[in-house]
Amino acid sequence: MVRGYETDTQGHLNQSVYLQYAEHARWSLLQASGIRQSTMVDRRVGPVTIETTIRYRRELRAGDEVEVSCAFVWGEGKTFRIEQTIRKTDGTVAAEVSAVGGLLDLTERKLLKDPRAAFRDLADDPSLLGLADG
């Protein structure tokens, strides 16, 4: 639910809060797949955002109930996309968030060459991340 303190002087959800909602949904999906932040830190890897685009479609105001989708879109390189939709519970699309991410080797400070393999290894249920087992 959009909280009053998350709104700006026009009564709209503040732009930075859209990113917080998207980030929360990403971590929730990782947790649902069995990936814990502490495990990533122990294995010296961490997700990074390289680029984010937000398309605002309809305003959100205090009290609005929202749902945030989250889907990983995999390619062949070091990066992947995360596509998200923030919508009111009546189905109205409020915003679309598209991000390019990677998985950083925290020791080398470089992106892993195959983030898919690393996520498969970390996850109990990689299918939630759009990754087939194996």
Side-chain angles (χ1 to χ4, degrees), residues 17-84:
V17 180
Y18 285 90
L19 293 174
Q20 292 172 4
Y21 286 6
E23 184 76 6
H24 178 75
R26 291 176 198 160
W27 279 107
S28 293
L29 180 59
L30 290 174
Q31 282 189 319
S33 77
I35 298 174
R36 303 286 176 262
Q37 191 173 24
S38 59
T39 303
M40 295 180 94
V41 170
D42 289 346
R43 293 198 189 174
R44 303 293 301 146
V45 296
V48 292
T49 301
I50 298 165
E51 173 185 303
T52 302
T53 301
I54 304 173
R55 290 174 222 62
Y56 301 100
R57 301 294 186 199
R58 295 284 185 271
E59 66 186 6
L60 289 174
R61 295 182 168 276
D64 285 343
E65 296 277 343
V66 297
E67 298 169 346
V68 184
S69 67
C70 186
F72 282 70
V73 180
W74 300 97
E76 295 300 319
K78 296 178 182 181
T79 63
F80 50 86
R81 297 192 71 74
I82 301 174
E83 299 294 338
Q84 298 179 266

Side-chain angles (χ1 to χ4, degrees), residues 74 103 112-123 131 134:
W74 300 97
L103 198 54
L112 296 182
K113 292 182 181 184
D114 189 357
R116 293 162 303 287
F119 276 117
R120 269 191 215 100
D121 183 51
L122 287 163
L131 295 167

Side-chain angles (χ1 to χ4, degrees), residues 99-114:
V100 175
L103 198 54
L104 188 68
D105 177 315
L106 298 176
T107 302
E108 296 293 322
R109 308 306 290 177
K110 294 181 181 182
L111 291 178
L112 296 182
K113 292 182 181 184
D114 189 357

